[in-house]
Amino acid sequence: VVRIRYFAALREAAGCGEEELGLPASVLTGHELVRWLARERPELAPALASPSLRIALDREVASFAAPLKGVREIALFPPMTGG
Amino acid sequence: MIRVQSDRFDAGAETEALGAGDIRAGCVATFIGRVRGDDGLLAMTLEHYPAMTEKVMEEIEREVRARWPLLDVRIVHRIGRLAAGEAIVFAGVAAAHRQDAFAAAHYVMDQVKTRAPFWKKEHRASGDRWVEAAKADDAAAMGWEAKRK
């Protein structure tokens, strides 16, 4: 079981800021997670399809190709707009 | 020192605190970002990723201290709903020399804009919308990498 966190427009599309999900064994990377999530949560599919989507693994910005093995918290969000 | 808070900050007190008591601190450079009330903008709501925000801001402080000989660094970022004209962010540094202070404050802001996990939602009479990241901000943040080489 992994914690998935959503921010900004993704949080609104998901209707929640975070959820605990059991990922299927076939989901090994961020790319695979996004494809799987878009099927599981169709309301998230448009936001997940954005080319500017970002991912953080255990609070560190990561590549979608990075392995998810051992990761406890995955966050999905649009590019940051602070400052 | 980094801080994330919903309360207003006192820019005068933050500036005074920079390098206070350190007689080597010949100069202080500060930047304050405010909510720009253009196109009928009434307010903004700043959302963030707790824990990751602090972690990234601490990384930025470590980087800027490694890159320039600074005597003090203070970065304060606000979250929650802020009205047009209110201050959002304070970035200040103390150094012996102004070239280092100006460059370091500039670097901090370029990095905070693109790397710290904050997201702004704009509120207007016509409705709400999420701010999109500006390509120019990414280019500015990446530009510092090129300068290092």
Side-chain angles (χ1 to χ4, degrees):
Chain A
V1 173
V2 66
R3 173 177 301 189
I4 314 268
R5 302 187 71 164
Y6 307 106
F7 292 95
L10 269 117
R11 176 180 54 74
E12 291 178 342
C16 65
E18 60 179 77
E19 57 189 343
E20 306 263 330
L21 293 175
L23 303 183
S26 60
V27 171
L28 300 173
T29 66
H31 283 305
E32 288 158 0
L33 171 71
V34 168
R35 272 200 296 275
W36 176 76
L37 256 184
R39 285 197 303 271
E40 287 292 303
R41 306 275 316 260
E43 67 279 17
L44 272 177
L48 291 173
S50 164
S52 59
L53 183 72
R54 304 283 164 92
I55 189 169
L57 305 180
D58 289 331
R59 299 170 183 171
E60 192 88 44
V61 169
S63 153
F64 282 95
L68 301 180
K69 190 172 161 55
V71 171
R72 289 155 62 180
E73 184 171 295
I74 302 171
L76 294 166
F77 45 81
M80 290 108 164
T81 56
Chain B
M1 191 254 4
I2 65 105
R3 237 164 54 228
V4 178
Q5 62 186 49
S6 48
D7 292 341
R8 287 169 187 254
F9 54 77
D10 178 342
E14 300 294 343
T15 305
E16 282 295 315
L18 277 163
D22 188 339
I23 58 168
R24 296 169 303 165
C27 60
V28 166
T30 64
F31 173 88
I32 296 164
R34 291 181 179 160
V35 177
R36 186 172 53 244
D38 56 2
D39 299 328
L41 184 127
L42 303 170
M44 277 185 178
T45 299
L46 274 121
E47 175 172 335
H48 77 132
Y49 185 171
M52 181 171 164
T53 315
E54 287 82 352
K55 188 169 146 239
V56 172
M57 287 169 68
E58 281 163 5
E59 272 168 26
I60 294 169
E61 176 175 353
R62 276 198 299 278
E63 287 168 15
V64 77
R65 283 179 181 274
R67 200 158 170 154
W68 288 278
L70 303 178
L71 298 165
D72 202 3
V73 176
R74 292 175 90 82
I75 313 169
V76 182
H77 206 298
R78 292 180 65 199
I79 50 169
R81 190 178 171 104
L82 310 182
E86 277 192 62
I88 303 177
V89 61
F90 176 95
V93 301
H97 302 289
R98 73 179 184 282
Q99 290 86 350
D100 293 330
F102 278 133
H106 191 173
Y107 177 87
V108 166
M109 281 314 304
D110 281 353
Q111 301 305 316
V112 166
K113 279 242 165 211
T114 52
R115 286 168 53 194
F118 293 101
W119 297 273
K120 290 184 185 126
K121 190 170 205 180
E122 299 176 333
H123 306 295
R124 291 185 171 81
S126 55
D128 298 342
R129 81 179 176 100
W130 290 101
V131 173
E132 283 181 30
K135 285 198 173 67
D137 288 342
D138 278 334
M142 296 298 286
W144 292 100
E145 280 312 301
K147 279 177 209 167
R148 191 196 293 274
K149 285 162 198 160

